[in-house]
Amino acid sequence: MNKIFAILKREYLTRVKTKGFIIGTFLLPVFILAASLAPALLMQLNKGAEKKLVIIDQTGRLQQPLTQAFTALKDKDDKPMFTVQPRSANLPLDSLKKELNKRISDGDLDAYLILPDSVFENNKFELYAKNVGNFDFVQRVERTVSDVVRNMRLSEAGMDAELVKKLNQWVNAKTFKVDEKGSSEQRAEVSFIFSLIMGMMLYMMLIMYGAFVMRAVIEDKNSRVVEVIISSVKPHQYMAGKVMGIGATGLTQFLIWVITAVLISAYGVA
């Protein structure tokens, strides 16, 4: 047992004192956090800019209600979110798309919509934009067009669109986390994202430190160190000390990440 502990101690201290361990311990959580928050921050920055749209209505019925719907959208500061620019659809569609694509490339336009005659039947329209990765923008456009098309369908069917909307109102759950101290409000998305990040980190560590064990054995074999060690310890003692030493390094790193996450959750949020 003393021999296993000696190998464990050597493997653990050798790796914990390296610059790679120290840098990786602090930079990996920062990288994961940045990768998780960057898309949301970019979308948040793009929210403030008023979007310029052009609507190409091939149905002949949606231009005016869509213009009113987009113009009526306001942000939290009560500023208009969209400006609908008029554009005649007299040109052939290919020429019109070429012109509007150039305006988007030049920064004079953010997006344009093409509403085909079949939009009421197949529920599809076309959205052209320079950045279609902005989910908030795309979903808001889809939601606005869907509301206008649905309201027009209901009106043509003799139904009150506002009454139907009220009757179909979505019911949201207010979630609370229960623990020994009682219950506290917590969104389900927060728990899911936290669990996902910790699961990814654990999965990465299993792969990474498994590779470290393999590489450490190969290095010892190539440097003939293993021959000296095996002469004084049994093979299973050598592998046990090697695996537990490198595993302890991984657990140390994981423990630091967990403590950091708990401290940020407890004290870092105002």
Side-chain angles (χ1 to χ4, degrees):
M1 192 65 188
N2 291 334
K3 295 179 179 180
I4 295 177
F5 181 76
I7 298 173
L8 186 157
K9 182 179 178 181
R10 172 186 174 273
E11 294 293 334
Y12 178 78
L13 294 178
T14 300
R15 281 164 174 77
V16 168
K17 293 178 180 179
T18 60
K19 293 181 180 179
F21 176 85
I22 298 173
I23 294 174
T25 299
F26 292 100
L27 286 188
L28 185 60
V30 173
F31 173 76
I32 294 177
L33 187 63
S36 303
L37 296 180
L41 291 175
L42 289 175
M43 287 191 291
Q44 193 70 29
L45 291 175
N46 290 330
K47 277 185 179 180
E50 187 176 342
K51 304 296 183 184
K52 292 173 285 187
L53 292 179
V54 167
I55 299 174
I56 302 175
D57 177 25
Q58 295 180 327
T59 68
R61 296 186 290 166
L62 293 172
Q63 181 75 41
Q64 182 177 356
L66 275 177
T67 300
Q68 293 176 348
F70 279 113
T71 305
L73 292 175
K74 308 288 184 180
D75 60 14
K76 61 182 181 180
D77 297 324
D78 201 32
K79 295 180 180 178
M81 301 180 65
F82 293 92
T83 297
V84 179
Q85 299 181 351
R87 182 65 181 87
S88 175
N90 295 331
L91 291 175
L93 185 59
D94 290 340
S95 301
L96 192 57
K97 288 168 66 175
K98 186 176 180 180
E99 175 194 330
L100 295 176
N101 287 340
K102 185 177 184 306
R103 289 180 59 187
I104 290 178
S105 299
D106 294 340
D108 183 50
L109 188 68
D110 291 299
Y112 65 91
L113 315 178
I114 298 180
L115 301 152
D117 294 328
S118 59
V119 66
F120 290 97
E121 288 76 30
N122 62 14
N123 303 310
K124 294 184 182 297
F125 70 97
E126 297 177 3
L127 169 62
Y128 295 80
K130 193 169 186 178
N131 179 19
V132 293
N134 189 336
F135 298 117
D136 181 73
F137 168 72
V138 174
Q139 289 178 358
R140 196 175 296 275
V141 172
E142 287 181 335
R143 195 181 307 118
T144 303
V145 175
S146 296
D147 288 344
V148 171
V149 172
R150 182 175 58 250
N151 290 344
M152 188 168 290
R153 286 172 176 165
L154 293 172
S155 298
E156 292 176 353
M159 299 180 184
D160 187 345
E162 289 299 323
L163 178 59
V164 172
K165 181 179 179 181
K166 183 178 180 180
L167 295 175
N168 285 319
Q169 192 70 32
W170 187 265
V171 179
N172 297 312
K174 193 174 183 180
T175 55
F176 293 83
K177 181 179 177 62
V178 179
D179 53 25
E180 294 81 3
K181 298 180 181 179
S183 61
S184 58
E185 185 176 357
Q186 181 173 321
R187 293 182 61 86
E189 296 88 345
V190 175
S191 298
F192 173 77
I193 292 174
F194 181 77
S195 301
L196 180 63
I197 292 175
M198 297 305 294
M200 288 176 57
M201 293 173 65
L202 181 60
Y203 177 72
M204 290 173 59
M205 287 184 61
L206 289 174
I207 295 177
M208 185 170 61
Y209 281 97
F212 283 172
V213 172
M214 180 183 66
R215 191 169 63 184
V217 173
I218 293 174
E219 289 175 353
D220 287 351
K221 185 176 180 181
N222 291 336
S223 63
R224 300 296 180 90
V225 173
V226 68
E227 296 179 5
V228 178
I229 296 176
I230 292 298
S231 64
S232 58
V233 299
K234 295 180 180 179
H236 74 272
Q237 292 176 325
Y238 168 73
M239 284 304 301
K242 190 73 102 172
V243 171
M244 287 190 291
I246 297 176
T249 306
L251 289 175
T252 301
Q253 196 170 53
F254 189 71
L255 185 61
I256 292 173
W257 291 340
V258 170
I259 293 174
T260 303
V262 170
L263 291 176
I264 292 175
S265 301
Y267 304 106
V269 180

